[in-house]
Amino acid sequence: MAVGRVLRNRTAGVFLAAVIVSGFGSSAMRLAAGIWVKSLTGSDSLAALALFAVWLPVLFGPLLGAVADRLPRKPLLVGTNVVLAALMAALALPGAEGRVRLLFTVLVLYGCLSVLMDSAESAVVAGAVPAALLGDFNGLRMMANEGMKLVAPLTGAGLYARFGGGAVALLDAVSFALAAGLYALLRVRRTARPARGGPGGWTAGMRQLWGSPVLRPLVLAASATMLCAGLNGATLYAVVDGTLGHSPAYAGVLSVAQGLGSVTVGLFAGALMRRLPGRVFGAAGIAVFGVAVALRAVPSDATALAACALIGVGLPCVLIAALTAVQRETPDAVLGRTAATADTLIMSPNAVALGIGAGLVARVDVQVLLPLVGAGALLTAGLLLAAGRRERVVPGGPAVSASAEA
């Protein structure tokens, strides 16, 4: 079984362990940070700004990816986790718990180092995991991340309620320290360090994405899908309260359903990608996501739970397909920049759409808005299928564009 082969790969196994360890602390902290700021300031807007502070550095992904391309990847992974552990430990020091400015500073630095780390991770995986297993690995990585989101936020909230924000920061510090130790165990091939600025400068990642008939449609489709996901996410409490008639706490039940869907698709993503071209796999996931979003307009608990589970199944597909394609199609010298640029293009629309969606929910009935968003996702799936050249599936290997075969 391919999943077994991935886990038997020493680098893949150690890497997944590091993802699980650091992901647990990160997920716990992301929820607790908003609660922490809210309790210190009493401000809902500042609490929301805490999450924005973490996501802000994603906008500078191409620049941070250029830094990642200039540094040795294994030391970068170890070093960023050590620095993150120290930053989180600083929040746990006596007297630091009430300093809002310090908290925001740490959150922004945390976001910057996370982008650096993600860029280096993509390059390490591409060089260490066989190409035929990249889909399986990225699916398992998605499964690990989503699995942590089911457990860690409740742990973080519980720790904060019992012991305060310092305890959550200490948990995060320990998780990053353990991750640094795990990354130190990785066996990573050595690559020549690029010249200053790297080949093509910091814009090389954008040129790599835009010039590739494989990467461009996948990344654009993922970006459009995340825009729809942000609009869908903005309707959460309107659906819980207005459509289903529950208290806001019911949103947690829906989130668990979505998380379970994501864990499931992560387990089978690799097998599906060996049977389907990347665009077909991504488009199928977007279509499932679009139908599920439209179903959320139905005033039924059973339908809402099923729809959230299907969103969890469909949404990760195009993200896994895009990440795997970036790792397969990109030269090592610009892989950090390309991965970071792709992440910026894919994730930024989600944050923008959350803000736009908040305004739309106040003016448009969700039973009208959600079917429209679902239709937009279905259109995206159709455009992805129709885009550019066809791909053929190579048994046990990556999809190849028709033009590459000529």
Side-chain angles (χ1 to χ4, degrees):
M1 186 177 177
V3 171
R5 293 203 303 273
V6 170
L7 295 178
R8 285 194 296 272
N9 181 294
R10 181 183 183 277
T11 299
V14 172
F15 190 95
L16 283 173
V19 168
I20 291 171
V21 169
S22 64
F24 183 89
S26 296
S27 295
M29 186 63 188
R30 286 186 182 185
L31 176 65
I35 302 173
W36 195 343
V37 172
K38 169 68 174 176
S39 66
L40 290 175
T41 66
S43 170
D44 291 328
S45 60
L46 286 177
L49 193 60
L51 184 58
F52 179 74
V54 174
W55 282 101
L56 178 63
V58 172
L59 299 176
F60 304 96
L63 289 171
L64 293 169
V67 174
D69 275 337
R70 291 181 57 199
L71 300 173
R73 272 113 186 207
K74 179 177 173 178
L76 178 60
L77 288 174
V78 174
T80 51
N81 277 278
V82 169
V83 173
L84 284 168
L87 287 172
M88 293 302 163
L91 288 179
L93 293 174
E97 198 163 330
R99 297 170 62 184
V100 177
R101 289 185 180 179
L102 175 62
L103 177 57
F104 273 99
T105 301
V106 169
L107 290 175
V108 171
L109 290 173
Y110 166 83
C112 291
L113 292 172
S114 294
V115 173
L116 272 178
M117 198 160 48
D118 287 344
S119 301
E121 285 176 352
S122 293
V124 168
V125 170
V129 178
L133 296 179
L134 279 175
D136 296 277
F137 180 86
N138 289 324
L140 289 175
R141 183 182 177 187
M142 178 72 70
M143 183 180 72
N145 280 326
E146 294 301 319
M148 289 304 98
K149 290 177 184 177
L150 294 176
V151 179
L154 293 177
T155 304
L159 271 177
Y160 185 89
R162 180 66 180 85
F163 300 106
V168 183
L170 189 60
L171 171 67
D172 216 11
V174 171
S175 74
F176 283 124
L178 290 175
L182 288 168
Y183 282 125
L185 298 176
L186 287 174
R187 295 172 182 169
V188 180
R189 67 176 182 175
R190 293 184 178 274
T191 56
R193 289 178 60 184
R196 183 174 180 81
W202 66 272
T203 61
M206 179 63 76
R207 290 199 296 273
Q208 175 68 23
L209 291 175
W210 198 254
S212 169
V214 174
L215 300 181
R216 184 176 63 249
L218 272 171
V219 170
L220 289 176
S223 180
T225 303
M226 291 307 292
L227 182 72
C228 293
L231 293 173
N232 173 66
T235 68
L236 175 61
Y237 292 103
V239 168
V240 169
D241 180 23
T243 303
L244 301 178
H246 290 292
S247 69
Y250 192 72
V253 178
L254 299 180
S255 297
V256 169
Q258 183 171 332
L260 290 173
S262 296
V263 168
T264 301
V265 78
L267 187 61
F268 296 103
L272 291 170
M273 290 187 69
R274 279 189 295 278
R275 291 164 174 80
L276 298 171
R279 286 179 186 159
V280 176
F281 174 70
I286 297 170
V288 170
F289 165 75
V291 171
V293 168
L295 286 175
R296 292 185 67 230
V298 178
S300 161
D301 283 2
T303 302
L305 288 168
C308 286
L310 288 174
I311 288 171
V313 169
L315 184 58
C317 291
V318 70
L319 305 180
I320 294 171
L323 174 60
T324 303
V326 166
Q327 292 167 340
R328 287 173 173 168
E329 300 285 333
T330 307
D332 181 80
V334 295
L335 184 49
R337 276 163 287 182
T338 305
T341 301
D343 195 43
T344 297
L345 292 174
I346 291 171
M347 295 302 175
S348 298
N350 183 62
V352 173
L354 282 169
I356 295 173
L360 286 175
V361 166
R363 294 169 174 80
V364 182
D365 192 302
V366 293
Q367 292 184 316
V368 175
L369 180 59
L370 286 170
L372 288 175
V373 173
L378 289 172
L379 176 61
T380 300
L383 291 174
L384 178 57
L385 284 175
R389 302 176 176 100
R390 295 180 181 177
E391 295 175 44
R392 135 179 109 79
V393 176
V394 179
V400 177
S401 67
S403 61
E405 298 174 336

